[in-house]
Amino acid sequence: PDGYLASASLDGTVRLWDLSSGEPAATLSGHTAGVLTVAFSADGRWLASGSLDGDVRLWELPRLREAAVAHHGDPVWAVAFSPDGRLLAAGGWDRKVRLWSVPEAAE
């Protein structure tokens, strides 16, 4: 969302930072291994994270709650949303890109 930066951490968390103050705004936990990649949806409603644990997690903002988990298999090196926010792509160590629908149930 506007005014925030997300960072991946090898401790298995995603941190949100308030850009106006430079202070941490939230820590999102759920991965069981280091987080390698994060991405915001264009509308700022979603944050995706990919990890060495092979999972892609979808976080609902601003509620800061986990909305879904997709298992990629191998470590996830990159995540990206489609421009309309309906699809989430993840690229992994296995050289495959997988696509998932952003769940309507999380609305």
Side-chain angles (χ1 to χ4, degrees):
D2 291 341
Y4 290 97
L5 171 79
S7 65
S9 179
L10 289 178
D11 69 3
T13 64
V14 175
R15 290 187 176 83
L16 289 178
W17 302 86
D18 184 323
L19 292 177
S20 63
S21 69
E23 296 295 321
T27 300
L28 307 175
S29 300
H31 287 287
T32 59
V35 178
L36 301 177
T37 181
V38 293
F40 286 106
S41 62
D43 63 4
R45 180 173 177 201
W46 304 104
L47 174 69
S49 57
S51 171
L52 287 167
D53 64 11
D55 288 341
V56 175
R57 292 182 185 269
L58 184 66
W59 308 91
E60 185 181 6
L61 304 175
R63 289 178 160 180
L64 303 176
R65 72 173 183 95
E66 185 178 283
V69 178
H71 189 65
H72 183 84
D74 282 354
V76 178
W77 294 98
V79 291
F81 287 92
S82 62
D84 66 5
R86 293 182 180 187
L87 292 175
L88 176 61
W93 180 255
D94 58 1
R95 297 182 182 183
K96 294 180 181 175
V97 175
R98 290 181 173 80
L99 296 174
W100 290 281
S101 295
V102 174
E104 292 180 21
E107 292 182 9

